[in-house]
């Protein structure tokens, strides 16, 4: 049983997410290590995936490099997550599972049965894509016999749900984007041929890689598409001072020094995406407020958490005003009083972000 102070646990988490110094140098190496980068098109500053890449690579990353990697076939997008195409063998067995080749959870069976009821609609989409793909969603018909019903975002959005399931089944793939609109095609024309790693082995490998990308994690963390929800026995057990229960630790991070830097994070960055883990390790209070009414926001529409060394110390409310050619900083919220050095480094990072975006820095 490893016993970690909070500070040591934080440093492991930061190093594992490639947010310490020195920076990595190659985009594909970053993707292989992180296992995925979540796609979210909101661009108050820049789309989340672009900010995640820049926060690791700095100016070695250019806006659009992720899209170019997808177009070149080096990356694929699975369920709103960009992953190296070389990782596809670890997902093919799960795709086959969604087609009904093995035991499923009750909710999975319900989804599979819904697709089966709407098999004519499924076949029509595949036929249209065969003849004319890649195509945007707007070019595909919603011929579902039984509509998808939910109490959430997907209610009355049967076509979108069906496409999502066809991606899960490995029949349809995202072939690129036209601006923010996804372009769909047959998976066989997007994904290269390759082997299928057996499901149990694939899930073990994916769990091990997920833990390596996080450094330490709860056995059951926040659910992320295309990643195991239950890490199982990978890594080694650990306890972290001031937190309850046990963690799983990748022991490869126990050795090595730590040199931090100041980083502006996407609200969807993996360091902060699991808010419970974030609160346990960093004692940081944060919510993404883009869905809240303006009057109820404390920090801003797309406030970026500020990492300084091994601590999350504040949030920056900023907006890219491209018509005016400026990155407009509405507020800098200090969770702890900034020292002069911290203020200087945050200002410098904002200036670097603005210059990377081709904008001037301006305050409201």
């Amino acid at each position: 049983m490893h016993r970690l102070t909070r500070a040591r646990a934080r440093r492991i988490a930061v190093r594992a997410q490639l947010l310490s110094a020195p920076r990595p140098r190659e985009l594909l190496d970053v993707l292989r290590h992180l296992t995925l980068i979540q796609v979210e098109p909101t661009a108050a500053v820049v789309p989340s995936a672009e900010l995640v890449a820049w926060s690791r690579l700095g100016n070695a990353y250019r806006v659009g490099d992720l899209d170019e990697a997808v177009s070149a076939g080096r990356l694929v997008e699975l369920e709103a997550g960009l992953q190296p195409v070389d990782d596809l063998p670890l997902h093919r067995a799960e795709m086959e599972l969604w087609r009904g080749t093995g035991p499923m959870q009750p909710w999975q069976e319900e989804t599979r049965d819904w697709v089966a009821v709407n098999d004519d609609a499924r076949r029509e989409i595949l036929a249209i894509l065969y003849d004319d793909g890649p195509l945007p969603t707007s070019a595909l018909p919603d011929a579902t016999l039984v509509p998808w019903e939910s109490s959430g975002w997907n209610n009355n959005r049967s076509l979108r749900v069906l496409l999502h399931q066809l991606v899960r089944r490995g029949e349809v793939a995202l072939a690129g984007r036209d601006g923010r609109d996804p372009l769909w095609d047959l998976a066989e024309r997007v994904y290269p041929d390759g082997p299928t790693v057996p499901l149990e082995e694939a899930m073990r490998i994916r769990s091990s890689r997920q833990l390596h990308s996080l450094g330490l994690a709860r056995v059951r963390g926040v659910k992320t598409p295309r990643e195991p929800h239950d890490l199982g026995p990978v890594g080694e057990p650990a306890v972290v001072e001031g937190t309850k229960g046990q963690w799983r630790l990748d022991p490869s991070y126990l050795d090595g020094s730590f040199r931090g830097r100041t980083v502006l994070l996407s609200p969807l960055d993996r360091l902060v995406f699991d808010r419970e883990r974030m609160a346990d390790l960093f004692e940081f209070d944060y919510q993404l407020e883009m869905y809240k009414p303006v009057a109820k926001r404390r920090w801003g529409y797309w406030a970026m958490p500020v990492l300084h060394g091994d601590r999350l110390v504040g949030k920056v409310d900023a907006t890219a005003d491209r018509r005016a050619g400026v990155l407009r900083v509405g507020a800098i919220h200090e969770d702890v009083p900034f020292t002069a050095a911290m203020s200087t480094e945050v200002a410098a990072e904002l200036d670097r972000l603005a210059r990377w975006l081709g904008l001037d820095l301006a305050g409201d």
Side-chain angles (χ1 to χ4, degrees):
M1 179 71 68
H2 299 279
R3 301 185 182 278
L4 305 175
T5 64
R6 258 204 181 103
R8 193 177 188 193
R10 289 196 300 266
R11 291 181 176 189
I12 288 172
V14 171
R15 284 179 58 205
Q17 277 291 292
L18 305 179
L19 291 166
S20 58
R23 294 178 184 270
R25 296 183 178 181
E26 298 293 335
L27 178 60
L28 284 183
D29 290 342
V30 169
L31 264 295
R32 292 188 185 101
H33 181 91
L34 298 182
T35 73
L36 64 82
I37 293 180
Q38 185 173 341
V39 175
E40 162 55 55
T42 301
V45 174
V46 68
S48 176
E50 304 276 1
L51 184 57
V52 168
W54 178 78
S55 65
R56 273 77 180 172
L57 292 160
N59 290 339
Y61 179 80
R62 299 170 302 165
V63 175
D65 281 353
L66 285 169
D67 289 338
E68 290 180 11
V70 172
S71 298
R74 295 189 294 272
L75 299 179
V76 294
E77 183 176 327
L78 296 174
E79 298 188 58
L82 292 171
Q83 301 186 349
V85 70
D86 295 343
D87 288 352
L88 274 174
L90 298 175
H91 295 275
R92 287 197 169 99
E94 188 176 7
M95 291 175 176
E96 293 173 1
L97 180 70
W98 277 104
R99 300 177 201 173
T101 61
M104 305 177 80
Q105 298 294 324
W107 68 272
Q108 293 174 312
E109 292 177 352
E110 292 176 5
T111 304
R112 178 202 60 197
D113 293 346
W114 178 81
V115 174
V117 169
N118 290 296
D119 193 58
D120 287 346
R122 165 185 162 269
R123 290 177 180 274
E124 183 174 1
I125 288 173
L126 295 178
I128 292 172
L129 291 178
Y130 178 84
D131 290 336
D132 300 318
L135 292 170
T137 307
S138 59
L140 298 171
D142 183 355
T144 50
L145 180 65
V146 177
W148 180 264
E149 295 181 1
S150 78
S151 58
W153 291 99
N154 290 322
N155 197 39
N156 297 322
R157 298 184 179 183
S158 299
L159 175 59
R160 188 173 77 171
V161 175
L162 183 56
L163 285 168
H164 178 67
Q165 296 308 318
L166 297 184
V167 172
R168 276 181 165 174
R169 292 161 60 98
E171 296 178 310
V172 167
L174 191 140
R177 290 183 182 274
D178 182 7
R180 294 175 60 170
D181 294 333
L183 298 174
W184 308 101
D185 205 349
L186 298 180
E188 64 193 47
R189 293 204 289 241
V190 178
Y191 302 155
D193 293 333
T196 297
V197 178
L199 183 61
E200 185 174 347
E201 180 184 356
M203 296 305 289
R204 179 186 58 78
I205 294 171
R206 285 164 59 185
S207 292
S208 180
R209 292 184 59 196
Q210 182 181 354
L211 181 61
H212 187 62
S213 76
L214 294 171
L216 76 164
R218 301 290 191 181
V219 172
R220 293 177 68 85
V222 66
K223 187 169 179 58
T224 305
R226 287 293 169 184
E227 288 202 322
H229 184 40
D230 190 330
L231 286 175
V234 299
E236 297 177 359
V239 292
V240 178
E241 69 167 350
T243 69
K244 297 179 180 179
Q246 288 190 16
W247 299 74
R248 302 302 297 185
L249 167 72
D250 183 330
S252 67
Y253 292 107
L254 291 174
D255 297 327
S257 60
F258 176 83
R259 183 158 60 93
R261 53 191 178 90
T262 299
V263 189
L264 301 174
L265 300 174
S266 162
L268 303 181
D269 195 286
R270 288 292 295 279
L271 192 71
V272 298
F273 185 70
D274 185 336
R275 308 299 194 213
E276 184 175 344
R277 175 178 180 268
M278 174 195 71
D280 275 342
L281 297 181
F282 293 90
E283 301 176 277
F284 187 64
D285 183 18
Y286 182 82
Q287 289 182 333
L288 178 58
E289 297 180 322
M290 61 187 287
Y291 301 112
K292 287 186 175 184
V294 174
K296 294 186 177 181
R297 292 174 189 158
R298 292 180 289 171
W299 306 306
Y301 178 84
W302 188 255
M304 295 177 289
V306 179
L307 174 69
H308 178 73
D310 67 358
R311 300 176 66 195
L312 293 167
V313 297
K315 301 100 175 168
V316 172
D317 177 20
T319 305
D321 185 344
R322 290 174 174 81
R323 286 189 177 182
V326 298
L327 177 65
R328 205 175 299 284
V329 178
I332 297 177
H333 304 279
E334 300 181 11
D335 282 47
V336 298
F338 283 12
T339 64
M342 290 166 63
S343 295
T344 298
E345 291 183 30
V346 170
E349 192 69 1
L350 278 166
D351 183 63
R352 282 189 285 268
L353 176 60
R355 285 188 283 111
W356 174 65
L357 295 171
L359 304 173
D360 294 325
L361 189 61
D364 282 350

